[in-house]
Amino acid sequence: MSISAPSAESRATALSFENLTVSFETEFSEVHAVKGISLEVYPGEVVALVGESGSGKSVTSTAAIGLLPSNANISGKAFVGGVNVVGLAENKMRKMRATEIAMVFQEPMTALNPVLTVERQLTESLELHGLAYGKEATARAIELLKLVGIPDPHKRIKQYPHQFSGGQRQRIVIAMAISCDPKVIIADEPTTALDVTVQAEILDLLRELKDKLNTGILLITHNMGVVADLADRVAVMFHGSLVETGTVDQVLNRPQHDYTKKLLASVPRLAAVDVTGTWTPAPPDPVSLDRELVLEAKNLVLEYDMRGTKFRAVDDLSFELERGKILGIVGESGSGKSTVAKAVLGLLPVASGVLAVQGTNLASLRPKESRAIRSKIGVIFQDPAASLNPRFPIGDCITEPMVVHKVGTRAERIKRAEELLDAVHLPRTVINRYPHELSGGQRQRICIARALTLDPELLIADEPTSALDVSVQAAVLEMIQELQSRYEFACLFVSHDLAVVDLLAHHVVVMKDGKAVEQGRVSDVLHSPQHDYTRKLLAAAPVPEPREQAERREARRLLLSAEAQQN
Amino acid sequence: MTIEKEPVEGAAVLLAEAEDAALARKDSTSLSQGQLIRRRFIAHRAAMISTVLLVFIALMAFTSIGYAGIPGWWGKDYTMAGTVINGGHPTLSLLPSWLGGPGLAWGEHPFGQDSTGKDYFALVMRGTQQSIIIAVVVGFVATVIGAIIGAVAGYYRGWVDAVLMRLTDLFIVIPLLVLAAVLGQIAGRSGNPTVVLALVLGLVTWTGLARLVRGEVLSLREREYVAAAQAMGATTRRVILKHLLPNTIGVIVVNATFAIAGAILLETSLSYLGFGVKAPDSSLGLLISQYQNAFTNRPWLFWWPGMIILTIALSVNFLGDGLRDAFDPRQTRKAKRRKKKVEVSE
């Protein structure tokens, strides 16, 4: 399914960059974001622009649509449908947006205006560009909604964005993007904010649309699975330059540049999943009598109090976590997986059931006893930007648990901080630095060090790598593995990424709507899923290999159609 | 299923490695947030001029006539009456002799004399002292009360928040001037009327800050470092004092400067209305009220205190502006200025 790039003479490009350079004036210096890149997108083709944060991929696409901030200096050329948009007057650029070039944004929750109906937002660009007015525009809008797969578009067009689910909202954003038949669509991380099953649907939709409408798509993403699923050609960007361009098969399977090779090597991959269910499981682990349970949940119920009404986030959940083992909790957003972590951390009271750390039930503890338990639990959160107090130097961040539990003298604390910095492979000099001087991955390592300060029995990791780039994620995961084997703590690892859980965990609980649908050894659950939901999750997770991904897509289609027949 | 670790080849370095290398290369000077803010503040011209002006006025007021029994360098007392010389005209001259003026000179009564022959410079300096004391005390009291009430309400939410915020609303709905006037009367009977008046004003002007801090804390308390501190067993006291309040410092400092400016004006209004500082003591507002009728024949009796009030209030406001810009990392002024320079040089 790879299309070789047509020669420039045979077809006009939908979007092309010629030696584009972008730099930004900042408070203290000038930053070169894009250093002279050249790239073409032809009609009906998906070109994926991949790279890690700060590689300049979003800046490149924003330059094409003329939305860069005023402190940007742009040189070179960017052709949209044959017109150079670099230095184009704002009023001319405005006429080209939507009709020539359109954009699909990352976050569907904020890309739509919450106080306007979907109808107003869809007809807006049609009317602005004089393509259709009034009833005619509404009719076009209904057609568009039908095209992007919103059921019952006649009724739903009168509704407001909050009445749609996240995936449906992204469909509406896509409908807005294609409303004026643009020659090229820029999709900036279009599925990053979505769950895997929804992501798979949106990718299907984009694939369908570009064939139907013959639109070129510039896909900005960091997810190699998405690239393998959707892209025809791939351009790899690093530090503002293109290091490699080629068909998806060439780049993902036979990468030439060292950077691409290393980038691909750091992507965690799901081992081959047997969706058909003919896999023979390994014999069950022998239950040793002297095993030491660090964390145990029995019929655990957790509730949020929403102004008087209770919302049950976790319902009748049971699991066990042994010393030295990693238990993964996977699920989509709203499944209650992070709520479990919160309850273990004492940030949420237990509504009923048992949640015990080393045999002590958290639900029945007095505040003072519960503080003693806290010293046995370390935590790593998702967002490295928010998990360190910006006013604390790194040394204070790491030693805070010792201060809170009044452990050690000042000298001992500094010594411990230095030991931990060595353990997370950071130079000891960062002890006096501030969080804002470190990158996301480095901050996450500081969080790991802080979590280990008091030699905890239990480490709670709540999506610790989902805000990180793949190579940084690989480094952080490797570090958690290394430290875990050294210090032998038990770890509760909450994640939405099946590949990461597959890589790291020994046991896994799959959660859906607050209930555990399946649990057991990772090798059993993820490689031979018994429950339909687990199968669907696994089938929806894209793998970074185009041919395998095409097979998986087909398998997923079969799975879904079989399910549709059953109902 | 392991992550392959390949040695670094050529120029291709992954982001994770590149970041670590950059960190190792970094020189030892590390700027704390405080230092960054100080840098930005120093670059703010209006704020720096205001700071210098304020320090000058404060030094002038306290060293000239002295305070609390310590004598100053200005020989005359603000209560001492004397003979009116030259109709009480100010003797201060700023026009240098080469421009036809009498040259730079203080003279006997630089700010002139009032109708009973009191030295007006001493009176105005005394008034300035009072205004500055009130400003600082009110700024401090209002900030401490407002910050604590706001932080507690925002942190606990629920009924604590409801009670504290309704209390705040109560203070807001009563007209500030009336409240201050009634309490000021009571303050007037105490031993040190100025300081007590300032404390009273502080007790009624904390409301704005309480609301702002509450809003800020409501958003900060959802940050993960707060959750991390709670999860490691930190006490509520520690979370509020170490993690929440220091991160609202921007709001607090900026608001404190505006509270100070407001307090100076409030004291002025109160004294003008006769509820604040009373004769024979002096305050800038009192001086204006006493001599408002003298405006036509002896205008300097009105101008000197008026100008000093204006200067202090404006300077404090500019100072607040500068602080707000320094605390707000999204400011772009500097980048623009530099860009213009580049364009000119091209």
Side-chain angles (χ1 to χ4, degrees), chain B residues 171-184:
Chain B
F171 273 96
I172 289 171
V173 293
I174 302 171
L176 187 58
L177 211 53
V178 174
L179 197 64
V182 172
L183 292 172

Side-chain angles (χ1 to χ4, degrees), chain A residues 39-61:
Chain A
L39 184 70
E40 294 84 36
V41 182
Y42 291 94
E45 182 191 41
V46 178
V47 175
L49 193 55
V50 299
E52 299 184 278
S53 351
S55 61
K57 52 191 196 306
S58 286
V59 173
T60 307
S61 64

Side-chain angles (χ1 to χ4, degrees), chain A residues 27 52 70 238 259 269 371 374 383 386 389-391 400 405 433-434 437 439 442 445 469 503, chain B residues 1 5 9 12-13 15 17 19-20 26-27 32 40 224-225 231-233 238 242-243 246-247 339:
Chain A
E27 195 178 343
E52 299 184 278
S70 58
F238 178 63
Y259 174 71
R269 286 158 202 252
R371 185 157 302 149
R374 300 276 141 250
D383 185 0
N389 186 340
R391 300 203 169 264
E400 198 184 2
H405 292 282
R433 292 194 182 282
Y434 284 84
E437 295 177 85
S439 70
Q442 288 162 349
R445 275 143 71 188
D469 281 301
L503 178 75
Chain B
M1 289 297 306
K5 250 187 101 180
E9 291 168 35
V13 182
L15 190 59
E17 297 157 6
E19 281 171 350
D20 280 5
K26 247 185 183 177
D27 51 10
S32 71
R40 290 204 201 100
E224 285 171 350
Y225 61 78
M232 68 180 73
R238 184 179 166 85
K242 289 277 180 182
H243 292 284
N247 285 295
K339 198 176 171 187

Side-chain angles (χ1 to χ4, degrees), chain A residues 195-252:
Chain A
D195 284 318
V196 272
T197 51
V198 182
Q199 162 171 298
E201 287 165 17
I202 296 293
L203 292 177
D204 284 346
L205 174 68
L206 283 173
R207 187 177 311 106
E208 206 178 288
L209 286 176
K210 64 129 188 176
D211 290 342
K212 216 182 269 180
L213 306 173
N214 199 30
T215 311
I217 296 180
L218 180 67
L219 175 72
I220 316 279
T221 186
H222 66 278
N223 187 331
M224 294 295 170
V226 170
V227 173
D229 192 62
L230 192 61
D232 301 314
R233 288 195 300 133
V234 182
V236 183
M237 221 172 155
F238 178 63
H239 277 343
S241 316
L242 284 185
V243 295
E244 188 162 1
T245 325
T247 64
V248 66
D249 184 52
Q250 280 169 0
V251 175
L252 292 189

Side-chain angles (χ1 to χ4, degrees), chain A residues 294-502:
Chain A
V294 176
L295 181 66
E296 188 184 11
K298 262 190 216 144
N299 310 102
L300 178 67
V301 175
L302 299 171
E303 286 174 336
Y304 285 110
D305 198 351
M306 311 271 256
R307 291 187 180 265
T309 54
K310 301 259 192 243
F311 169 72
R312 189 163 282 202
V314 172
D315 194 5
D316 197 21
L317 179 72
S318 303
F319 61 82
E320 289 176 346
L321 173 56
E322 276 174 59
R323 186 180 166 77
K325 290 278 194 280
I326 300 178
L327 174 71
I329 297 188
V330 295
E332 298 190 278
S333 43
S335 64
K337 56 187 192 304
S338 287
T339 311
V340 178
K342 261 186 159 179
V344 181
L345 292 170
L347 303 175
L348 190 75
V350 175
S352 80
V354 175
L355 184 64
V357 176
Q358 288 196 317
T360 322
N361 189 2
L362 293 180
S364 62
L365 280 184
R366 279 170 226 272
K368 209 167 195 177
E369 295 164 327
S370 116
R371 185 157 302 149
I373 286 277
R374 300 276 141 250
S375 66
K376 294 180 183 171
I377 306 174
V379 61
I380 314 167
F381 285 111
Q382 174 177 358
D383 185 0
S387 48
L388 297 172
N389 186 340
R391 300 203 169 264
F392 275 28
I394 297 300
D396 287 4
C397 286
I398 297 178
T399 54
E400 198 184 2
M402 300 178 84
V403 177
V404 165
H405 292 282
K406 302 191 177 65
V407 178
T409 62
R410 193 171 155 65
E412 282 166 12
R413 287 174 189 164
I414 291 172
K415 193 164 158 278
R416 179 72 182 145
E418 284 176 348
E419 274 169 31
L420 287 162
L421 283 173
D422 290 345
V424 296
H425 307 310
L426 283 171
R428 286 183 174 196
T429 48
V430 300
I431 216 163
N432 290 321
R433 292 194 182 282
Y434 284 84
H436 65 89
E437 295 177 85
L438 304 186
S439 70
Q442 288 162 349
R443 271 184 250 178
Q444 206 61 320
R445 275 143 71 188
I446 297 295
C447 291
I448 297 175
R450 177 178 62 183
L452 299 181
T453 304
L454 294 175
D455 275 328
E457 301 288 336
L458 176 62
L459 181 73
I460 309 292
D462 187 357
E463 303 258 16
T465 59
S466 55
L468 305 176
D469 281 301
V470 272
S471 72
V472 180
Q473 161 172 298
V476 168
L477 290 178
E478 198 185 354
M479 180 155 296
I480 293 179
Q481 256 176 337
E482 181 194 320
L483 294 170
Q484 202 258 345
S485 58
R486 196 199 301 180
Y487 295 109
E488 288 202 316
F489 48 79
C491 175
L492 186 71
F493 193 93
V494 177
S495 179
H496 70 282
D497 191 335
L498 296 164
V500 169
V501 170
D502 189 11

Side-chain angles (χ1 to χ4, degrees), chain B residues 7-343:
Chain B
V8 181
E9 291 168 35
V13 182
L14 285 178
L15 190 59
E17 297 157 6
E19 281 171 350
D20 280 5
L23 185 67
R25 272 200 309 277
K26 247 185 183 177
D27 51 10
S28 56
T29 52
S30 72
L31 289 177
S32 71
Q33 287 230 318
Q35 284 165 315
L36 282 174
I37 289 164
R38 212 168 306 139
R39 267 194 182 183
R40 290 204 201 100
F41 181 76
I42 290 169
H44 194 287
R45 208 169 297 156
M48 281 312 284
I49 293 172
S50 301
T51 312
V52 171
L53 217 56
L54 273 178
V55 169
F56 174 74
I57 290 176
L59 280 178
M60 193 78 168
F62 282 93
T63 60
S64 60
I65 56 165
Y67 184 72
I70 305 158
W73 49 263
W74 188 246
K76 300 180 184 67
D77 191 74
Y78 65 94
T79 49
M80 200 166 60
T83 43
V84 180
I85 306 158
N86 189 20
H89 268 285
T91 55
L92 176 71
S93 83
L94 295 172
L95 208 59
S97 45
W98 50 270
L99 277 172
L104 280 166
W106 276 106
E108 187 63 22
H109 299 288
F111 285 12
Q113 286 171 295
D114 74 352
S115 49
T116 55
K118 284 184 194 163
D119 179 47
Y120 207 55
F121 178 74
L123 265 175
V124 170
M125 285 302 115
R126 176 63 185 170
T128 310
Q129 277 184 6
Q130 301 285 54
S131 289
I132 289 173
I133 290 167
I134 285 172
V136 171
V137 174
V138 170
F140 181 77
V141 172
T143 302
V144 169
I145 297 178
I148 289 174
I149 289 190
V152 169
Y155 181 78
Y156 282 102
R157 298 186 295 187
W159 67 267
V160 177
D161 182 30
V163 168
L164 287 176
M165 283 301 112
R166 292 306 78 75
L167 183 76
T168 312
D169 291 344
L170 194 70
F171 273 96
I172 289 171
V173 293
I174 302 171
L176 187 58
L177 211 53
V178 174
L179 197 64
V182 172
L183 292 172
Q185 285 290 77
I186 302 162
R189 283 177 228 130
S190 67
N192 190 345
T194 315
V195 175
V196 178
L197 177 73
L199 286 173
V200 164
L201 291 185
L203 286 176
V204 295
T205 53
W206 50 267
T207 50
L209 183 68
R211 285 187 160 192
L212 286 174
V213 169
R214 171 182 171 268
E216 195 82 347
V217 166
L218 276 178
S219 102
L220 283 176
R221 75 189 296 286
E222 303 299 328
R223 295 277 172 92
E224 285 171 350
Y225 61 78
V226 176
Q230 290 166 332
M232 68 180 73
T235 54
T236 306
R237 213 180 112 98
R238 184 179 166 85
V239 171
I240 289 180
L241 291 181
K242 289 277 180 182
H243 292 284
L244 292 174
L245 281 180
N247 285 295
T248 59
I249 196 77
V251 171
I252 292 176
V253 169
V254 171
N255 200 268
T257 57
F258 295 131
I260 286 173
I264 290 175
L265 296 180
L266 184 62
E267 180 275 325
T268 309
S269 327
L270 280 178
S271 301
Y272 180 84
L273 294 171
F275 295 115
V277 176
K278 300 229 165 53
D281 207 339
S282 162
S283 94
L284 296 177
L286 189 67
L287 289 177
I288 290 181
S289 109
Q290 276 174 344
Y291 299 113
Q292 57 180 329
N293 296 327
F295 188 64
T296 41
N297 49 358
R298 275 186 278 181
W300 59 89
L301 296 182
F302 181 82
W303 279 120
W304 289 116
M307 255 158 42
I308 289 185
I309 290 172
L310 207 67
T311 313
I312 295 178
L314 266 181
S315 304
V316 174
N317 268 309
F318 274 126
L319 192 72
D321 254 6
L323 286 171
R324 189 173 47 202
D325 286 358
F327 279 110
D328 184 4
R330 283 165 296 182
Q331 62 141 354
T332 52
R333 188 194 358 261
K334 224 179 167 184
K336 273 184 198 151
R337 201 184 291 154
R338 183 171 300 150
K339 198 176 171 187
K340 262 183 212 146
K341 243 185 248 165
V342 171
E343 276 165 9

